[in-house]
Amino acid sequence: RKSCVVVRSRLVCFADPSITHLSMSTDRLRVGVLGATGAVGQRFIQLLASHPWFVLHALGASGRSAGRTYAEATHWLQATPMPQEVTGIMVDECAPSSGKFAECNAVFSALDSNVAGDIEAAFANAGIPVFSNAKNYRYEALVPLLVPQVNPDHIHAIAKQKAAGKTGFIVTNPNCSTTGLVVPLKAIDDKFGIEEIVVFTMQAVSGAGYPGVASMDILDNVIPYIDGEEPKVEKETRKILGALGEAGFVDKRIRVSAHTNRVAVLDGHTICVSIRLRNKAGPAEVKEALRTYVSDAQRLGLPSAPEVPMRVTELQNRPQPRLDRNEGQGFTVTVGRVRGGCDYDEDPDERASFDVRLTLLVHNTILGAAGGSVMNAELAKAKGYL
Protein backbone atom coordinates (compact mmCIF):
# COMPACT_ATOMS: atom_id res chain seq x y z
CA ARG A 1 0.00 0.00 0.00
CA LYS A 2 1.02 3.56 -0.66
CA SER A 3 -0.13 6.73 1.01
CA CYS A 4 0.12 10.20 -0.44
CA VAL A 5 0.39 13.75 0.85
CA VAL A 6 0.73 17.18 -0.75
CA VAL A 7 4.24 18.58 -0.18
CA ARG A 8 5.16 22.04 -1.49
CA SER A 9 2.28 22.06 -4.01
CA ARG A 10 2.92 18.58 -5.43
CA LEU A 11 1.61 15.12 -4.61
CA VAL A 12 4.17 12.81 -3.02
CA CYS A 13 3.39 9.11 -2.54
CA PHE A 14 5.19 7.05 0.08
CA ALA A 15 5.98 3.37 -0.30
CA ASP A 16 5.88 3.12 3.51
CA PRO A 17 2.64 4.68 4.89
CA SER A 18 4.22 5.01 8.34
CA ILE A 19 6.45 7.93 7.28
CA THR A 20 3.77 10.30 5.97
CA HIS A 21 3.65 12.06 9.33
CA LEU A 22 6.99 13.67 8.50
CA SER A 23 5.50 15.82 5.77
CA MET A 24 2.29 16.60 7.65
CA SER A 25 3.97 17.58 10.89
CA THR A 26 3.12 21.03 12.20
CA ASP A 27 6.10 20.92 14.55
CA ARG A 28 8.71 22.31 12.21
CA LEU A 29 12.30 22.25 13.38
CA ARG A 30 14.02 25.57 14.09
CA VAL A 31 17.03 26.08 11.80
CA GLY A 32 19.66 28.74 11.27
CA VAL A 33 21.80 29.79 8.31
CA LEU A 34 25.48 30.69 8.70
CA GLY A 35 26.76 33.08 6.04
CA ALA A 36 23.16 34.05 5.33
CA THR A 37 23.87 37.28 3.43
CA GLY A 38 26.04 35.74 0.68
CA ALA A 39 24.90 34.17 -2.60
CA VAL A 40 24.66 30.59 -1.31
CA GLY A 41 23.18 31.82 1.96
CA GLN A 42 20.45 33.54 -0.02
CA ARG A 43 19.67 30.27 -1.80
CA PHE A 44 19.24 28.68 1.61
CA ILE A 45 16.81 31.46 2.54
CA GLN A 46 14.82 30.89 -0.67
CA LEU A 47 14.57 27.14 -0.14
CA LEU A 48 13.82 27.25 3.59
CA ALA A 49 11.32 30.13 3.65
CA SER A 50 8.36 27.86 2.83
CA HIS A 51 9.80 24.52 3.88
CA PRO A 52 7.29 22.05 5.40
CA TRP A 53 9.75 20.55 7.91
CA PHE A 54 12.00 23.49 8.85
CA VAL A 55 11.41 27.08 9.92
CA LEU A 56 14.05 29.82 9.73
CA HIS A 57 14.87 30.90 13.26
CA ALA A 58 18.37 32.44 13.20
CA LEU A 59 20.55 34.09 10.57
CA GLY A 60 24.28 34.62 10.95
CA ALA A 61 26.89 36.64 9.12
CA SER A 62 30.08 38.59 9.75
CA GLY A 63 30.48 41.16 12.48
CA ARG A 64 29.79 44.04 10.09
CA SER A 65 26.29 42.63 9.40
CA ALA A 66 25.45 41.52 12.94
CA GLY A 67 22.95 43.72 14.75
CA ARG A 68 21.17 44.78 11.54
CA THR A 69 17.98 43.32 10.09
CA TYR A 70 18.43 40.85 7.28
CA ALA A 71 16.94 43.32 4.79
CA GLU A 72 19.40 46.01 5.87
CA ALA A 73 22.42 43.71 5.83
CA THR A 74 21.80 41.91 2.53
CA HIS A 75 22.38 42.86 -1.08
CA TRP A 76 19.72 40.51 -2.46
CA LEU A 77 20.89 38.73 -5.63
CA GLN A 78 18.13 36.25 -6.37
CA ALA A 79 15.58 36.52 -9.17
CA THR A 80 12.64 36.21 -6.76
CA PRO A 81 11.93 38.80 -4.03
CA MET A 82 13.41 38.39 -0.56
CA PRO A 83 10.91 36.34 1.49
CA GLN A 84 8.91 38.70 3.65
CA GLU A 85 9.26 36.54 6.74
CA VAL A 86 13.05 37.03 6.91
CA THR A 87 13.30 40.76 6.22
CA GLY A 88 12.97 41.75 9.87
CA ILE A 89 15.07 38.96 11.40
CA MET A 90 18.07 40.38 13.24
CA VAL A 91 21.40 39.08 11.94
CA ASP A 92 23.61 37.52 14.63
CA GLU A 93 27.28 36.65 14.69
CA CYS A 94 28.10 33.08 13.70
CA ALA A 95 28.49 31.55 17.15
CA PRO A 96 26.39 28.87 18.88
CA SER A 97 25.73 31.17 21.85
CA SER A 98 24.87 34.21 19.73
CA GLY A 99 21.28 35.40 19.50
CA LYS A 100 18.79 32.65 18.67
CA PHE A 101 21.31 30.08 17.45
CA ALA A 102 21.25 28.27 20.80
CA GLU A 103 17.55 27.56 20.19
CA CYS A 104 18.14 25.92 16.77
CA ASN A 105 17.71 22.22 16.07
CA ALA A 106 20.23 22.47 13.21
CA VAL A 107 22.16 25.01 11.14
CA PHE A 108 23.06 25.24 7.48
CA SER A 109 26.50 26.58 6.62
CA ALA A 110 27.11 28.76 3.57
CA LEU A 111 30.36 30.02 5.06
CA ASP A 112 33.52 30.53 3.05
CA SER A 113 36.04 27.78 3.70
CA ASN A 114 38.47 30.35 5.13
CA VAL A 115 36.29 30.68 8.23
CA ALA A 116 33.98 27.65 8.11
CA GLY A 117 36.22 25.15 9.91
CA ASP A 118 36.32 26.63 13.41
CA ILE A 119 32.75 27.96 13.31
CA GLU A 120 31.19 24.69 12.17
CA ALA A 121 33.19 22.74 14.75
CA ALA A 122 32.00 25.12 17.47
CA PHE A 123 28.34 24.49 16.58
CA ALA A 124 28.81 20.71 16.40
CA ASN A 125 30.64 20.72 19.76
CA ALA A 126 27.77 22.73 21.23
CA GLY A 127 25.35 19.97 20.24
CA ILE A 128 23.91 21.72 17.17
CA PRO A 129 23.96 19.62 13.96
CA VAL A 130 25.66 21.31 11.00
CA PHE A 131 24.79 20.76 7.33
CA SER A 132 27.69 22.31 5.47
CA ASN A 133 28.26 23.46 1.93
CA ALA A 134 31.93 24.19 2.71
CA LYS A 135 34.83 21.90 1.86
CA ASN A 136 36.55 21.84 5.26
CA TYR A 137 35.26 18.51 6.62
CA ARG A 138 34.42 16.65 3.40
CA TYR A 139 37.29 14.18 3.70
CA GLU A 140 37.10 13.50 7.44
CA ALA A 141 36.86 9.79 8.20
CA LEU A 142 33.48 9.96 10.00
CA VAL A 143 31.89 12.89 8.15
CA PRO A 144 29.49 11.89 5.37
CA LEU A 145 29.87 13.52 1.96
CA LEU A 146 26.22 13.12 1.21
CA VAL A 147 24.01 13.16 -1.88
CA PRO A 148 20.67 11.59 -0.80
CA GLN A 149 19.88 10.47 -4.35
CA VAL A 150 23.19 8.57 -4.47
CA ASN A 151 24.54 7.44 -1.08
CA PRO A 152 21.77 7.83 1.53
CA ASP A 153 23.22 5.01 3.65
CA HIS A 154 26.24 7.26 4.40
CA ILE A 155 23.96 9.27 6.70
CA HIS A 156 24.60 6.61 9.34
CA ALA A 157 28.11 7.98 9.83
CA ILE A 158 26.31 10.40 12.16
CA ALA A 159 25.96 7.55 14.65
CA LYS A 160 29.72 6.99 14.46
CA GLN A 161 30.36 10.67 15.17
CA LYS A 162 28.13 10.44 18.23
CA ALA A 163 29.81 7.23 19.35
CA ALA A 164 33.12 9.12 19.17
CA GLY A 165 31.82 11.56 21.77
CA LYS A 166 30.26 14.41 19.75
CA THR A 167 26.96 15.81 20.93
CA GLY A 168 26.25 17.43 17.57
CA PHE A 169 27.46 16.31 14.16
CA ILE A 170 28.58 17.58 10.75
CA VAL A 171 27.21 16.48 7.37
CA THR A 172 28.72 17.88 4.18
CA ASN A 173 27.59 18.06 0.57
CA PRO A 174 30.09 17.85 -2.31
CA ASN A 175 31.42 20.34 -4.78
CA CYS A 176 28.69 21.55 -7.15
CA SER A 177 30.05 19.66 -10.18
CA THR A 178 30.57 16.43 -8.27
CA THR A 179 26.98 16.51 -7.01
CA GLY A 180 25.55 16.41 -10.53
CA LEU A 181 28.15 13.96 -11.81
CA VAL A 182 27.58 11.22 -9.24
CA VAL A 183 23.83 10.91 -9.85
CA PRO A 184 24.09 9.22 -13.28
CA LEU A 185 27.35 7.53 -12.28
CA LYS A 186 25.56 5.81 -9.39
CA ALA A 187 22.85 4.42 -11.68
CA ILE A 188 25.44 3.20 -14.18
CA ASP A 189 27.80 1.76 -11.57
CA ASP A 190 24.99 -0.15 -9.85
CA LYS A 191 24.02 -1.78 -13.12
CA PHE A 192 27.29 -2.31 -14.99
CA GLY A 193 30.19 -1.26 -12.76
CA ILE A 194 32.58 1.56 -13.66
CA GLU A 195 36.34 1.29 -14.04
CA GLU A 196 37.32 4.75 -15.25
CA ILE A 197 35.85 8.13 -16.13
CA VAL A 198 37.16 11.27 -17.79
CA VAL A 199 35.22 14.41 -16.90
CA PHE A 200 35.19 17.78 -18.71
CA THR A 201 33.21 20.55 -16.95
CA MET A 202 31.85 23.87 -18.21
CA GLN A 203 31.01 25.66 -14.99
CA ALA A 204 28.78 28.69 -14.53
CA VAL A 205 30.09 31.92 -13.03
CA SER A 206 27.74 31.69 -10.03
CA GLY A 207 29.90 28.81 -8.84
CA ALA A 208 32.59 31.37 -8.02
CA GLY A 209 30.29 33.27 -5.63
CA TYR A 210 29.51 36.98 -5.77
CA PRO A 211 30.89 39.11 -7.38
CA GLY A 212 32.73 36.15 -8.87
CA VAL A 213 34.85 36.29 -12.01
CA ALA A 214 35.57 39.77 -13.38
CA SER A 215 33.46 40.54 -16.46
CA MET A 216 36.50 41.38 -18.60
CA ASP A 217 37.96 37.97 -17.75
CA ILE A 218 34.92 35.85 -18.60
CA LEU A 219 33.05 37.66 -21.39
CA ASP A 220 34.09 36.40 -24.83
CA ASN A 221 36.21 33.83 -23.06
CA VAL A 222 36.63 30.41 -21.45
CA ILE A 223 38.97 30.03 -18.47
CA PRO A 224 40.47 26.51 -18.48
CA TYR A 225 41.35 26.47 -14.80
CA ILE A 226 39.42 26.67 -11.53
CA ASP A 227 41.60 26.64 -8.46
CA GLY A 228 41.32 23.39 -6.51
CA GLU A 229 38.36 22.12 -8.53
CA GLU A 230 39.86 19.14 -10.32
CA PRO A 231 41.16 17.41 -7.17
CA LYS A 232 37.73 17.90 -5.55
CA VAL A 233 35.91 16.17 -8.41
CA GLU A 234 38.41 13.32 -8.49
CA LYS A 235 38.51 12.70 -4.74
CA GLU A 236 34.88 13.36 -3.85
CA THR A 237 33.51 11.05 -6.54
CA ARG A 238 35.37 8.09 -5.06
CA LYS A 239 34.22 8.80 -1.51
CA ILE A 240 30.56 9.27 -2.48
CA LEU A 241 30.43 6.06 -4.53
CA GLY A 242 32.37 4.21 -1.83
CA ALA A 243 31.13 2.43 1.28
CA LEU A 244 30.75 3.19 4.97
CA GLY A 245 32.87 0.76 6.97
CA GLU A 246 33.47 0.22 10.66
CA ALA A 247 36.33 2.72 10.83
CA GLY A 248 34.90 5.21 8.34
CA PHE A 249 34.57 5.50 4.59
CA VAL A 250 36.26 3.29 2.02
CA ASP A 251 36.68 4.93 -1.40
CA LYS A 252 35.37 3.31 -4.55
CA ARG A 253 38.14 1.98 -6.77
CA ILE A 254 37.44 4.11 -9.84
CA ARG A 255 39.96 6.10 -11.85
CA VAL A 256 38.74 9.68 -12.24
CA SER A 257 40.41 12.34 -14.40
CA ALA A 258 38.86 15.82 -14.41
CA HIS A 259 39.25 18.96 -16.54
CA THR A 260 37.39 21.98 -15.12
CA ASN A 261 36.58 25.18 -17.00
CA ARG A 262 34.76 28.43 -16.20
CA VAL A 263 32.33 29.63 -18.89
CA ALA A 264 30.12 32.68 -19.40
CA VAL A 265 26.88 31.10 -18.09
CA LEU A 266 25.07 32.43 -15.02
CA ASP A 267 23.72 29.17 -13.51
CA GLY A 268 24.07 25.53 -14.49
CA HIS A 269 27.17 23.36 -14.83
CA THR A 270 27.43 21.32 -18.04
CA ILE A 271 29.58 18.20 -17.75
CA CYS A 272 30.80 15.85 -20.48
CA VAL A 273 31.78 12.37 -19.31
CA SER A 274 33.50 9.39 -20.95
CA ILE A 275 33.04 6.11 -19.06
CA ARG A 276 34.79 2.75 -19.18
CA LEU A 277 32.45 0.03 -17.89
CA ARG A 278 33.37 -3.13 -16.02
CA ASN A 279 30.52 -5.08 -17.68
CA LYS A 280 29.99 -3.86 -21.23
CA ALA A 281 26.73 -2.25 -22.25
CA GLY A 282 25.43 -0.19 -25.16
CA PRO A 283 23.80 3.25 -25.11
CA ALA A 284 20.26 1.85 -25.04
CA GLU A 285 21.02 -0.22 -21.92
CA VAL A 286 22.67 2.74 -20.21
CA LYS A 287 19.68 4.99 -20.95
CA GLU A 288 17.35 2.39 -19.49
CA ALA A 289 19.47 2.21 -16.32
CA LEU A 290 19.33 6.00 -16.00
CA ARG A 291 15.57 6.22 -16.62
CA THR A 292 14.63 3.48 -14.17
CA TYR A 293 16.94 4.52 -11.33
CA VAL A 294 15.08 5.43 -8.13
CA SER A 295 16.76 6.51 -4.90
CA ASP A 296 15.77 6.59 -1.24
CA ALA A 297 15.15 10.32 -1.60
CA GLN A 298 12.18 9.48 -3.84
CA ARG A 299 11.06 6.47 -1.78
CA LEU A 300 11.04 8.52 1.42
CA GLY A 301 9.25 11.43 -0.23
CA LEU A 302 11.78 14.01 0.93
CA PRO A 303 10.22 17.45 0.30
CA SER A 304 13.05 18.64 -1.96
CA ALA A 305 13.44 15.36 -3.86
CA PRO A 306 12.22 15.64 -7.46
CA GLU A 307 9.86 13.07 -8.94
CA VAL A 308 12.84 11.54 -10.75
CA PRO A 309 16.53 12.07 -9.96
CA MET A 310 17.39 12.28 -13.68
CA ARG A 311 15.66 13.18 -16.91
CA VAL A 312 17.14 11.60 -20.02
CA THR A 313 16.66 13.60 -23.21
CA GLU A 314 16.96 12.28 -26.76
CA LEU A 315 17.47 15.74 -28.25
CA GLN A 316 20.93 15.94 -29.77
CA ASN A 317 21.52 19.55 -28.68
CA ARG A 318 20.50 19.12 -25.03
CA PRO A 319 21.00 19.60 -22.16
CA GLN A 320 21.56 23.34 -22.23
CA PRO A 321 21.90 25.50 -19.08
CA ARG A 322 19.31 28.11 -20.03
CA LEU A 323 16.72 25.51 -21.02
CA ASP A 324 17.29 22.69 -18.54
CA ARG A 325 18.81 23.99 -15.28
CA ASN A 326 15.42 24.43 -13.55
CA GLU A 327 14.23 20.88 -14.25
CA GLY A 328 12.64 19.51 -11.09
CA GLN A 329 12.88 23.00 -9.53
CA GLY A 330 16.64 22.72 -9.86
CA PHE A 331 16.92 19.30 -8.17
CA THR A 332 16.81 17.06 -11.27
CA VAL A 333 19.96 16.25 -13.27
CA THR A 334 19.35 16.32 -17.03
CA VAL A 335 21.31 13.76 -19.05
CA GLY A 336 21.67 13.76 -22.82
CA ARG A 337 23.86 12.70 -25.73
CA VAL A 338 24.19 9.16 -24.36
CA ARG A 339 26.20 7.34 -27.00
CA GLY A 340 28.99 4.86 -27.56
CA GLY A 341 32.62 5.40 -26.73
CA CYS A 342 33.59 6.53 -30.24
CA ASP A 343 31.96 7.39 -33.55
CA TYR A 344 34.15 5.33 -35.87
CA ASP A 345 34.31 1.62 -36.62
CA GLU A 346 37.04 1.46 -39.25
CA ASP A 347 38.84 -1.39 -37.52
CA PRO A 348 36.52 -3.90 -35.79
CA ASP A 349 39.46 -5.21 -33.78
CA GLU A 350 40.29 -1.79 -32.39
CA ARG A 351 38.32 -1.26 -29.20
CA ALA A 352 37.38 2.28 -28.15
CA SER A 353 39.05 3.57 -25.01
CA PHE A 354 35.65 4.14 -23.40
CA ASP A 355 32.30 2.38 -23.63
CA VAL A 356 29.84 5.23 -23.24
CA ARG A 357 29.78 9.02 -23.39
CA LEU A 358 27.17 11.42 -22.07
CA THR A 359 26.53 15.07 -21.21
CA LEU A 360 24.77 16.15 -18.04
CA LEU A 361 23.55 19.40 -16.53
CA VAL A 362 23.20 20.25 -12.83
CA HIS A 363 21.90 23.45 -11.25
CA ASN A 364 25.00 24.36 -9.32
CA THR A 365 23.46 26.61 -6.65
CA ILE A 366 20.37 24.47 -5.98
CA LEU A 367 21.12 20.73 -6.13
CA GLY A 368 24.85 21.50 -6.28
CA ALA A 369 24.91 23.74 -3.20
CA ALA A 370 22.17 24.99 -0.86
CA GLY A 371 19.51 22.58 -2.09
CA GLY A 372 21.82 19.65 -1.57
CA SER A 373 22.36 20.64 2.06
CA VAL A 374 18.63 21.07 2.62
CA MET A 375 17.95 17.59 1.20
CA ASN A 376 20.67 16.20 3.47
CA ALA A 377 18.86 17.62 6.49
CA GLU A 378 15.57 16.20 5.22
CA LEU A 379 17.19 12.77 5.02
CA ALA A 380 18.60 13.16 8.53
CA LYS A 381 15.12 13.95 9.83
CA ALA A 382 13.54 11.07 7.93
CA LYS A 383 16.14 8.71 9.40
CA GLY A 384 15.64 9.96 12.96
CA TYR A 385 18.86 11.98 13.39
CA LEU A 386 17.02 15.31 13.82
Side-chain angles (χ1 to χ4, degrees):
R1 290 180 56 195
K2 291 184 177 180
S3 57
C4 299
V5 63
V6 175
V7 178
R8 298 176 92 174
S9 303
R10 65 182 174 89
L11 188 68
V12 175
C13 292
F14 300 82
D16 180 358
S18 67
I19 65 172
T20 58
H21 73 279
L22 290 172
S23 290
M24 295 187 291
S25 173
T26 56
D27 298 324
R28 294 192 293 168
L29 298 180
R30 297 185 299 273
V31 298
V33 177
L34 306 173
T37 59
V40 175
Q42 291 177 29
R43 279 291 191 195
F44 275 118
I45 300 297
Q46 270 189 328
L47 295 168
L48 292 166
S50 59
H51 198 281
W53 294 2
F54 308 128
V55 60
L56 285 164
H57 188 68
L59 303 178
S62 65
R64 64 179 177 273
S65 297
R68 304 165 68 191
T69 67
Y70 187 70
E72 293 170 338
T74 304
H75 172 49
W76 189 252
L77 303 168
Q78 307 305 316
T80 57
M82 181 184 293
Q84 187 63 36
E85 56 265 44
V86 301
T87 57
I89 294 180
M90 198 66 67
V91 176
D92 295 313
E93 292 193 21
C94 295
S97 59
S98 179
K100 295 184 176 181
F101 277 118
E103 302 169 358
C104 288
N105 301 105
V107 295
F108 296 94
S109 174
L111 294 168
D112 186 271
S113 60
N114 292 329
V115 298
D118 289 343
I119 294 173
E120 291 176 2
F123 274 86
N125 291 334
I128 302 173
V130 178
F131 295 89
S132 175
N133 187 66
K135 67 181 181 181
N136 302 65
Y137 294 102
R138 288 175 182 168
Y139 311 129
E140 293 292 319
L142 299 181
V143 174
L145 186 55
L146 195 63
V147 181
Q149 301 187 102
V150 175
N151 60 343
D153 57 307
H154 288 197
I155 193 74
H156 299 301
I158 291 173
K160 295 182 180 295
Q161 290 186 45
K162 288 184 170 292
K166 289 187 178 294
T167 52
F169 57 81
I170 297 175
V171 172
T172 63
N173 53 280
N175 169 270
C176 41
S177 293
T178 309
T179 301
L181 172 66
V182 294
V183 178
L185 289 186
K186 172 64 173 175
I188 295 169
D189 187 53
D190 280 357
K191 196 77 172 179
F192 311 109
I194 295 175
E195 292 183 347
E196 181 179 4
I197 63 170
V198 174
V199 182
F200 179 93
T201 73
M202 292 165 278
Q203 297 183 218
V205 292
S206 58
Y210 185 84
V213 185
S215 59
M216 290 188 69
D217 287 337
I218 194 63
L219 292 177
D220 189 34
N221 203 15
V222 172
I223 301 173
Y225 174 75
I226 304 173
D227 186 32
E229 200 82 352
E230 290 164 357
K232 290 179 191 174
V233 174
E234 294 168 355
K235 190 171 184 178
E236 292 172 6
T237 298
R238 291 191 289 265
K239 180 173 180 177
I240 294 164
L241 296 178
L244 176 61
E246 286 299 318
F249 293 97
V250 180
D251 287 356
K252 186 81 172 181
R253 292 179 63 86
I254 293 177
R255 293 186 295 275
V256 183
S257 178
H259 309 260
T260 59
N261 305 267
R262 188 73 70 194
V263 298
V265 170
L266 183 58
D267 288 317
H269 290 353
T270 304
I271 305 174
C272 300
V273 192
S274 296
I275 306 170
R276 187 199 304 276
L277 300 174
R278 183 168 294 110
N279 301 301
K280 305 312 170 190
E285 296 168 286
V286 171
K287 289 178 192 177
E288 180 66 13
L290 297 173
R291 288 193 172 107
T292 57
Y293 177 75
V294 179
S295 74
D296 276 3
Q298 279 74 41
R299 296 188 190 97
L300 291 170
L302 302 184
S304 296
E307 292 181 9
V308 292
M310 287 168 286
R311 180 177 66 85
V312 180
T313 176
E314 297 290 349
L315 297 174
Q316 287 297 320
N317 64 344
R318 302 281 280 276
Q320 296 179 25
R322 191 169 59 190
L323 301 178
D324 298 304
R325 59 192 169 207
N326 291 317
E327 184 73 24
Q329 296 182 314
F331 286 92
T332 295
V333 176
T334 301
V335 182
R337 303 211 66 220
V338 181
R339 59 209 193 278
C342 66
D343 292 323
Y344 64 87
D345 55 2
E346 297 173 0
D347 184 350
D349 296 324
E350 184 176 318
R351 179 175 171 268
S353 298
F354 294 92
D355 300 293
V356 66
R357 294 172 290 170
L358 57 83
T359 301
L360 67 95
L361 180 79
V362 58
H363 197 306
N364 56 295
T365 68
I366 299 182
L367 181 62
S373 281
V374 171
M375 205 189 303
N376 287 349
E378 293 169 357
L379 180 64
K381 177 172 169 59
K383 294 294 185 179
Y385 291 109
L386 287 180

